[in-house]
Amino acid sequence: MTEIILIGIGLAMDAVAVSMTNGMVYRNLKAREYIAMPLFFGAFQGFMPLIGNFAGSLFDEFISKYAGIVILLILGIIGGNMIKEGVEHTNPSERVCGCKELGSGILLCQAVATSLDAFAVGVGFSAMQVNILPAVAVIAVVTVIMTTAAIEIGRKFGDILGSQAEILGGIILVIIGVKAIITK
């Protein structure tokens, strides 16, 4: 169980970074968005190892080969757009940072991008014959807890950074995307 919790923490790290960024940039989150974010990330972090476990090594080579590119594209586009909007609206009198809505489309893309590594973990679980249902449940719960805390931390940084939070948030997402392609 300890190993599964540690795997869950490791898998959750990209989702934590993105959640912190979301909390920093989208400081006026509605209750449904605040609840949806950890649930989306937790669900995908739990669901992807399940799919990987059942797919076995069938898709492992494909996912391993292209995951970095997919992550870079998704997070690069979202992050690049955040940087662009932040630069265009650096005057706080023009726009209050955080007035944009997060939106389920952006959240879905972020959840998918941050959970692709979990698919490969599921393939590994298959090879090790891990009891998959308890493992994915633990991974999902760990992710929900960690991303919930990350949103709050991000909100505090967003209050401090003001209108610059969107630029920093976009840079963070682009860096995560670049890291994904470098490490794949």
Side-chain angles (χ1 to χ4, degrees):
M1 185 57 74
T2 303
E3 292 172 348
I4 299 298
I5 291 171
L6 292 174
I7 289 170
I9 291 169
L11 289 175
M13 287 316 205
D14 282 347
V16 165
V18 171
S19 295
M20 192 177 299
T21 300
N22 286 344
M24 186 171 50
V25 174
Y26 304 104
R27 289 179 289 143
N28 296 327
L29 290 173
K30 295 178 180 147
R32 65 180 158 78
E33 294 169 328
Y34 188 88
I35 293 168
M37 195 182 321
L39 293 178
F40 266 68
F41 286 117
F44 275 88
Q45 289 294 345
F47 188 63
M48 291 299 262
L50 186 64
I51 294 172
N53 185 69
F54 289 121
S57 62
L58 184 62
F59 297 110
D60 181 43
E61 186 177 324
F62 178 79
I63 291 291
S64 295
K65 187 174 183 180
Y66 296 109
I69 295 168
V70 172
I71 293 168
L72 175 63
L73 285 174
I74 293 171
L75 295 182
I77 289 169
I78 293 170
N81 190 49
M82 287 169 64
I83 294 167
K84 177 182 161 275
E85 289 180 7
V87 168
E88 289 174 354
H89 301 97
T90 54
N91 183 348
S93 64
E94 290 178 13
R95 177 174 156 259
V96 176
C97 183
C99 66
K100 294 184 343 182
E101 290 191 24
L102 179 58
S104 59
I106 291 174
L107 188 54
L108 179 65
C109 287
Q110 291 175 340
V112 169
T114 58
S115 66
L116 290 175
D117 289 344
F119 179 89
V121 169
V123 172
F125 284 169
S126 175
M128 296 183 317
Q129 299 188 351
V130 169
N131 190 352
I132 193 67
L133 293 180
V136 297
V138 167
I139 290 168
V141 169
V142 165
T143 302
V144 167
I145 292 168
M146 290 180 67
T147 55
T148 300
I151 295 166
E152 282 303 311
I153 293 167
R155 290 175 87 170
K156 299 294 183 205
F157 279 110
D159 290 341
I160 294 167
L161 294 172
S163 63
Q164 300 302 309
E166 190 163 22
I167 296 169
L168 179 59
I171 291 169
I172 290 168
L173 292 182
V174 170
I175 289 170
I176 292 170
V178 170
K179 179 191 99 37
I181 201 160
I182 290 171
T183 60
K184 294 294 172 202

